[in-house]
Amino acid sequence: MMTFCCQLPSRLWFFIQTRKLVRTIILILFLFFYCEFFHYYMVLLSCTWPTLQFATMDTTQPEGSEAPLRAMFIADTHILGSKEGHWFDKLRREWQMERSFQASMSIHNPDVVFILGDLLDEGKWCSDREFNFHVQRFQQMFRTPFGTKTHIVVGNHDIGFHYLISEKTHDRFRKAFDAPPVRMLQIKENTFVMLNSMAMEGDGCSLCSEAMNKLTDIKWQLKCAKGREEKKRVADVCDKMETFRYSRPILIQHFPMYRASDSNCSTADAAPLDEKDVPFREKWDCLSQDATNQLFEWINPRLIISAHTHHGCFREHSDGTPEWTVASFSWRNKKNPTFLMGVITSNNFAISQCYLPHEYTVISIYITGAFLIILSLLIPNKYSSKSSKGMVLINKSN
């Protein structure tokens, strides 16, 4: 038995050399395994968590006692529905996103994942049955290991732009993904404000009113927490507010803050040149200028993370507040998808971009691999060549 085990590799190699069909099947399986599994790990291993720098520390805030929070930000997954997605398109894109996400979970193991809206492509008009199917598919694709939490904000494709939102579409998404119009989270002494961008229309609709009432509460919660932290006299309303350690919040939403266009975006995954200077429409491509000013006044964020454009962007607002816009996670919207990795403390943060496999690279590997496999078919079998030589020697001897 021991002898057979020792001889097995050499026997297998000889079998591969002498059987074209076996050799071809093995090469095809190896090519498929590399492109659909191993390549994702090879690419994502190049991503590392950013390092906190002393230069970016807010010295006016006390240093927290918790370990830094490791957060991952993804956006615009657009799981395809039955109307606008071909079955192969759905299969290819969903497999790409699932493998990318699961490989990143295995390699980087974040503490929390924030998903910035447009989870579904047809959530705004699909039936309840189809919606529930997409929810299950999403939860399967973007499952996280034990200890990693997921928090979600809603996007316009999930429930519609403001003029299309119905109570039904909003409520079913809210229940399925635990995504209220506005929410404040405390994670490792860090404050996050998560916002439904479509609720910032400012026209007094029921959804907008709910969002504004919650934002008003958060404004006072932050003001009271900051006053207590600085040991100042606080308003009487603070007696009814929950006590927590103050840190300037991080604002997370689907729409970017108001900007004229993507012309000032500086990242490698920014919009192509023919799109960069296209003017943004308020309440459609970004928040209105009024809503943006109100959020800066009420929330005073130290960092803003947004999505929606399908392209990456980094820019600083007039007061120096940085905003990162996360590109789409799907090959359907971006051939070179990216996501953000952040290391965050109560008085500091560092953000870096991580690239997923480029679709064209994977296609090129397939084409190159197929060419080499075809070339291998032209190589004569080792056994056959030896046999033919033997036949020549026999004929000569005769």
Side-chain angles (χ1 to χ4, degrees):
M1 183 66 182
M2 190 70 177
T3 304
F4 175 78
C5 291
C6 293
Q7 293 178 348
L8 185 60
S10 59
R11 287 174 180 268
L12 182 61
W13 177 241
F14 176 77
F15 194 71
I16 292 172
Q17 284 182 306
T18 57
R19 297 293 188 274
K20 282 188 178 182
L21 179 61
V22 174
R23 184 168 67 220
T24 302
I25 292 173
I26 289 175
L27 289 173
I28 290 173
L29 290 175
F30 176 80
L31 178 62
F32 178 82
F33 177 80
Y34 178 83
C35 289
E36 303 302 333
F37 291 92
F38 194 62
H39 185 65
Y40 290 90
Y41 289 90
M42 292 291 291
V43 172
L44 287 165
L45 277 170
S46 65
C47 300
T48 57
W49 291 102
T51 302
L52 293 170
Q53 302 294 327
F54 179 78
T56 59
M57 182 181 293
D58 183 358
T59 55
T60 65
Q61 297 293 319
E63 190 170 350
S65 57
E66 296 271 5
L69 177 72
R70 297 189 303 176
M72 175 177 167
F73 303 88
I74 72 172
D76 293 279
T77 55
H78 284 270
I79 292 182
L80 296 173
S82 59
K83 294 183 179 180
E84 298 190 356
H86 186 270
W87 70 267
F88 183 76
D89 194 23
K90 292 169 63 176
L91 175 67
R92 186 73 184 132
R93 271 55 171 170
E94 289 182 10
W95 177 258
Q96 168 258 323
M97 289 191 289
E98 182 172 359
R99 294 288 7 114
S100 298
F101 188 81
Q102 294 306 323
S104 189
M105 289 297 102
S106 300
I107 295 169
H108 303 117
N109 192 28
D111 298 314
V112 61
V113 177
F114 291 99
I115 304 178
L116 279 69
D118 280 0
L119 284 60
L120 315 178
D121 194 58
E122 300 176 12
K124 56 188 179 291
W125 59 51
C126 66
S127 67
D128 288 343
R129 181 178 180 181
E130 189 173 2
F131 177 81
N132 292 332
F133 173 78
H134 292 327
V135 169
Q136 292 175 2
R137 183 74 184 110
F138 182 90
Q139 292 172 342
Q140 168 64 24
M141 290 168 58
F142 297 97
R143 61 194 182 276
T144 56
F146 179 79
T148 299
K149 302 294 184 182
T150 300
H151 298 288
I152 292 170
V153 295
V154 64
N156 55 285
H157 273 264
D158 298 317
I159 61 173
F161 281 105
H162 180 267
Y163 67 93
L164 275 178
I165 297 174
S166 68
E167 186 175 349
K168 176 183 177 181
T169 57
H170 174 259
D171 287 347
R172 73 181 183 183
F173 188 91
R174 178 177 186 167
K175 292 175 183 176
F177 295 104
D178 189 21
V182 180
R183 163 183 282 175
M184 185 172 72
L185 294 173
Q186 295 287 329
I187 310 175
K188 286 190 173 184
E189 299 179 341
N190 298 291
T191 303
F192 296 88
V193 176
M194 303 177 67
L195 179 67
N196 178 341
S197 299
M198 289 75 69
M200 297 300 294
E201 189 78 7
D203 63 353
C205 73
S206 59
L207 178 61
C208 301
S209 297
E210 181 183 355
M212 293 309 297
N213 289 337
K214 183 62 179 177
L215 275 173
T216 302
D217 291 342
I218 290 174
K219 176 186 72 172
W220 278 105
Q221 284 179 287
L222 293 170
K223 186 176 291 188
C224 294
K226 184 179 181 182
R228 293 191 187 104
E229 193 79 33
E230 296 173 350
K231 302 187 184 307
K232 294 181 178 178
R233 180 182 175 85
V234 295
D236 293 340
V237 70
C238 295
D239 296 336
K240 302 177 182 178
M241 297 290 178
E242 179 184 357
T243 301
F244 60 92
R245 182 165 184 173
Y246 175 78
S247 67
R248 283 184 66 191
I250 295 171
L251 179 61
I252 297 175
Q253 58 187 6
H254 184 63
F255 286 4
M257 292 292 220
Y258 173 78
R259 60 179 183 246
S261 67
D262 268 348
S263 58
N264 293 326
C265 296
S266 59
T267 57
D269 62 342
L273 293 177
D274 60 340
E275 295 182 29
K276 266 196 166 186
D277 294 325
V278 176
F280 275 16
R281 297 161 292 177
E282 296 184 45
K283 306 179 183 181
W284 190 271
D285 300 310
C286 60
L287 290 184
S288 68
Q289 196 158 21
D290 289 341
T292 298
N293 293 338
Q294 187 175 44
L295 287 171
F296 272 117
E297 181 183 350
W298 286 16
I299 305 300
N300 187 28
R302 56 177 167 141
L303 170 67
I304 302 160
I305 310 287
S306 59
H308 184 53
T309 66
H310 296 175
H311 302 296
C313 181
F314 173 79
R315 64 190 296 267
E316 290 187 350
H317 291 270
S318 57
D319 66 346
T321 304
E323 178 177 358
W324 286 87
T325 300
V326 189
S328 175
F329 201 71
S330 172
W331 276 346
R332 194 170 194 256
N333 304 316
K334 191 79 174 172
K335 301 305 179 185
N336 57 332
T338 58
F339 63 90
L340 298 184
M341 299 170 64
V343 176
I344 305 167
T345 67
S346 59
N347 66 346
N348 204 354
F349 62 84
I351 303 291
S352 66
Q353 282 186 310
C354 181
Y355 279 83
L356 303 181
H358 197 298
E359 183 175 26
Y360 292 158
T361 301
V362 175
I363 293 173
S364 298
I365 294 172
Y366 267 121
I367 293 172
T368 304
F371 174 77
L372 293 175
I373 291 171
I374 293 172
L375 193 64
S376 74
L377 292 173
L378 303 177
I379 300 173
N381 291 338
K382 184 178 180 181
Y383 177 75
S384 300
S385 61
K386 285 186 176 181
S387 299
S388 60
K389 287 180 181 179
M391 290 297 293
V392 171
L393 291 173
I394 291 171
N395 289 334
K396 284 185 177 180
S397 63
N398 288 339

